[in-house]
Amino acid sequence: MTALVIFFVSYLGIAMGGIPGLTLDRVGIAILGAIAMVAFGAVSPQEAVRCIDFPTLCLLYGLMIISAQLRLGGFYTAAAEKVLNFSHRPRLFLLVSMLLSAVLSALLANDIICFAMAPILA
């Protein structure tokens, strides 16, 4: 029953984007939920470690490094400037924006592309 309560509180906090009274984001809530599962004995520490998919973590970390290098290299700024050249033609602007986001989503993690494309579209 304890595991179920921890799961639902964590899931609700992640869905809401935060838990009232706590200054935690979704990642913090997920980590706090995982710690609570181990602390209350719902999952043993060995089981918790076995549940971590290290290849996926390494892949996401690598994609974040590539994205950070693209940002530092000015790629996102250059892409934004190129896309903004089409802003006077809304349909073409939409097409170019969609193609750019599709190509980048194929190469990088989607959440990274959301952060990169938001300033362009705003």
Side-chain angles (χ1 to χ4, degrees):
M1 188 65 175
T2 304
L4 207 55
V5 170
I6 294 170
F7 173 77
F8 280 119
V9 169
S10 299
Y11 199 80
L12 183 64
I14 291 170
M16 291 180 4
I19 296 176
L22 295 177
T23 56
L24 290 173
D25 59 355
R26 287 180 172 97
V27 175
I29 293 168
I31 292 172
L32 190 61
I35 291 169
M37 287 287 204
V38 173
F40 285 101
V43 177
S44 72
Q46 293 80 15
E47 287 176 306
V49 171
R50 279 196 308 265
C51 290
I52 298 171
D53 189 19
F54 287 103
T56 301
L57 287 178
C58 291
L59 174 67
L60 291 173
Y61 182 68
L63 291 173
M64 288 180 189
I65 289 174
I66 291 170
S67 180
Q69 291 301 316
L70 288 173
R71 183 184 60 80
L72 292 172
F75 172 78
Y76 293 126
T77 303
E81 290 171 357
K82 297 287 185 193
V83 171
L84 287 175
N85 290 334
F86 300 102
S87 64
H88 62 283
R89 297 184 59 199
R91 289 182 184 206
L92 189 56
F93 176 74
L94 179 62
L95 176 68
V96 172
S97 306
M98 289 170 46
L99 289 174
L100 178 63
S101 64
V103 169
L104 291 176
S105 290
L107 300 174
L108 301 170
N110 289 336
D111 55 344
I112 296 169
I113 303 309
C114 290
F115 286 123
M117 292 298 291
I120 296 171
L121 297 176

